[in-house]
Amino acid sequence: QVHLVESGGGLVQAGDSLRLACTFSGGFFGSYTMAWFRQAPGKEREIVAAHSWDRSTYYTDSVRGRFAISRDNTKNTVYLQMNNVRSEDTAVYYCAADPRRSVIAPIQLDGSEYDYWGQGTQVTVSS
């Protein structure tokens, strides 16, 4: 059974940097597409960034150029480096894993396509 554990959230000020980490266990990490989603109070869950099994990446427009997703397959960990954070980045951040290894669509933007989720880590940005 795949298990995901996020860490690294906290309270930061606008303009600061923060790095989230998600540790994966229970499967072959390298074959999974990994993604970060977030959900702010009163808003729908949205994808933030993804890193596929074939090493392609995706960023939602609001974070492109500020956030960077990376993975270390030797440590079974995916990271989200968050730079120049803004108050609108405040949310619970979730790590998710998709096992399908789709060649046609290696990165899914819909959270329903991800089979495994972490418990979430809170990121709060004060302005």
Side-chain angles (χ1 to χ4, degrees), residues 10 25 42 49 51 55 64 79 92 101 106 110 123:
S25 62
H51 194 298
R55 293 179 287 182
R64 191 174 293 115
Y79 303 96
V92 178
R101 289 177 60 92
D110 186 343
V123 173

Side-chain angles (χ1 to χ4, degrees), residues 15-95:
D16 283 353
S17 295
L18 195 66
R19 189 176 79 159
L20 306 184
C22 171
T23 302
F24 172 105
S25 62
F28 182 61
F29 180 66
S31 67
Y32 284 70
T33 289
M34 301 299 297
W36 288 96
F37 286 78
R38 67 185 178 188
Q39 187 165 21
K43 294 187 177 182
E44 293 187 354
R45 182 179 62 193
E46 64 170 347
I47 189 167
V48 177
H51 194 298
S52 73
W53 59 273
D54 68 351
R55 293 179 287 182
S56 57
T57 58
Y58 167 85
Y59 296 95
T60 194
D61 287 346
S62 62
V63 309
R64 191 174 293 115
R66 299 188 298 123
F67 291 10
I69 189 169
S70 62
R71 65 194 293 165
D72 185 338
N73 287 353
T74 67
K75 296 182 179 180
N76 286 3
T77 301
V78 60
Y79 303 96
L80 183 68
Q81 178 67 43
M82 306 168 62
N83 298 323
N84 191 22
V85 295
R86 305 168 180 167
S87 57
E88 54 263 39
D89 295 322
T90 295
V92 178
Y93 284 72
Y94 297 92
C95 175

